[in-house]
Amino acid sequence: MAKVGKRTAAARAAFDGKVNVTVAEAVALVKGNAKAKFDETVEIAMQLGVDPRHADQMVRGTVNLPNGTGKTVRVAVFARGEKADEAKAAGADIVGAEDLMETVQGGTIEFDRCIATPDMMGVVGRLGKVLGPRNLMPNPRVGTVTMDVKAAVEAAKGGEVQFKAEKAGVVHAGIGKASFDAKQLEENLLAFVDAVGKAKPTGAKGTYMKKIAVSSTMGPGVTVDVASATGNE
C-alpha cells in the first residue's frame, strides 16, 4: 500500500464527511488546503444529464469570469493583412496564416486559445485533427471565428473561459487561483455555473445539473450543493 504524505493525509481529513456543502464552504475548504509550493488552480467539474454524442444535447459556450482566471493566456490568431495587424495590436502572442499552419502541423503548439477570421478557415480546417482533440479549434459558436479580432483577443486575455461537455457529460474548467480571496472565487464559480445553466441544450431531459465538485490542482475535491450554486435554495 502506497504511503500517504502528511499534507495529503491532512487534506483528506479536512474533507472527510464534507458532502454537498455550500459554495462558501467549498471555497473555504479548497483554499485552506491548497498548500503546494505553487499557486494552485481552483477547478470546477460539473456532471450534466446530457449525452453530447447527440447534437441536440451538446453543451458548449463561453463565460467571462468577473475576477479573471489568474492565468496568462497565450493567444494565436490566424489572419492576414489589416486583421493580422489588429490582432498584434490587441496583444495576440502569435499571428500568422499558412506559416502558422505549418508550424502547428510540425507539432509546435505554443498557445492556449486559437482565433481565426472567417476567410482563414480553409487553412485552419486542415488542422482539425491536431487542434480538435485539444479543444483549440476555432468555432463561431464560441466567438473564436470572427472578424472582430480585437474583441476576441481581449476577451481571451481578460479571463474568458470556454467550456464543452466531454463524452461522459462532464464540463470542467479553471475558475481562478488559490491565492484569490474567497469572494472572488465564489463569484467566479457562480458565474460559471450560471453560464452552463444558460447553455442547457434543447435535447436535455430529466435533471440537467447532477453534480458539482470543486478542487485545487493538488488537493482533494468536494461536492457542492447544486441548489447553493444555482441560487435555488
Side-chain angles (χ1 to χ4, degrees):
M1 185 175 179
K3 184 178 180 180
V4 178
K6 290 182 179 179
R7 185 181 67 83
T8 302
R12 288 180 180 175
F15 281 69
D16 188 41
K18 303 292 176 62
V19 180
N20 290 336
V21 300
T22 66
V23 170
E25 288 172 327
V27 167
L29 269 173
V30 171
K31 271 184 61 67
N33 289 278
K35 297 179 180 178
K37 293 181 180 179
F38 62 93
D39 193 5
E40 297 181 53
T41 296
V42 175
E43 302 171 352
I44 186 171
M46 300 176 65
Q47 176 69 57
L48 305 178
V50 298
D51 183 350
R53 292 176 297 180
H54 300 287
D56 66 346
Q57 293 187 51
M58 170 52 70
V59 177
R60 185 171 196 162
T62 61
V63 56
N64 286 300
L65 298 180
N67 301 297
T69 63
K71 177 183 177 182
T72 299
V73 178
R74 301 168 299 173
V75 179
V77 177
F78 282 87
R80 294 191 180 96
E82 291 182 0
K83 288 300 173 181
D85 294 337
E86 182 181 320
K88 292 173 184 175
D93 299 275
I94 306 168
V95 180
E98 284 80 4
D99 57 333
L100 180 53
M101 178 194 70
E102 292 173 1
T103 298
V104 174
Q105 283 180 328
T108 301
I109 302 176
E110 297 179 334
F111 50 86
D112 309 297
R113 183 73 62 87
C114 187
I115 295 165
T117 53
D119 60 296
M120 290 301 302
M121 287 308 293
V123 173
V124 181
R126 303 177 209 173
L127 301 172
K129 291 183 179 179
V130 180
L131 299 179
R134 294 174 172 82
N135 200 27
L136 289 172
M137 192 68 181
N139 188 308
R141 289 179 59 188
V142 293
T144 48
V145 177
T146 177
M147 288 300 288
D148 194 349
V149 173
K150 180 177 183 292
V153 172
E154 290 177 347
K157 290 283 189 178
E160 182 184 77
V161 171
Q162 294 182 352
F163 58 85
K164 179 182 178 181
E166 298 178 347
K167 290 182 180 179
V170 175
V171 169
H172 63 85
I175 55 169
K177 293 290 185 178
S179 59
F180 283 21
D181 66 39
K183 184 179 180 182
Q184 289 176 315
L185 288 172
E186 289 172 27
E187 290 174 347
N188 280 1
L189 187 155
L190 294 173
F192 187 85
V193 171
D194 181 63
V196 173
K198 290 177 178 176
K200 181 179 180 179
T202 56
K205 297 178 177 64
T207 302
Y208 177 51
M209 293 189 187
K210 291 186 172 183
K211 184 177 180 180
I212 301 173
V214 185
S215 64
S216 63
T217 305
M218 303 296 290
V222 59
T223 54
V224 180
D225 179 60
V226 174
S228 173
T230 58
N232 294 321
E233 294 177 288

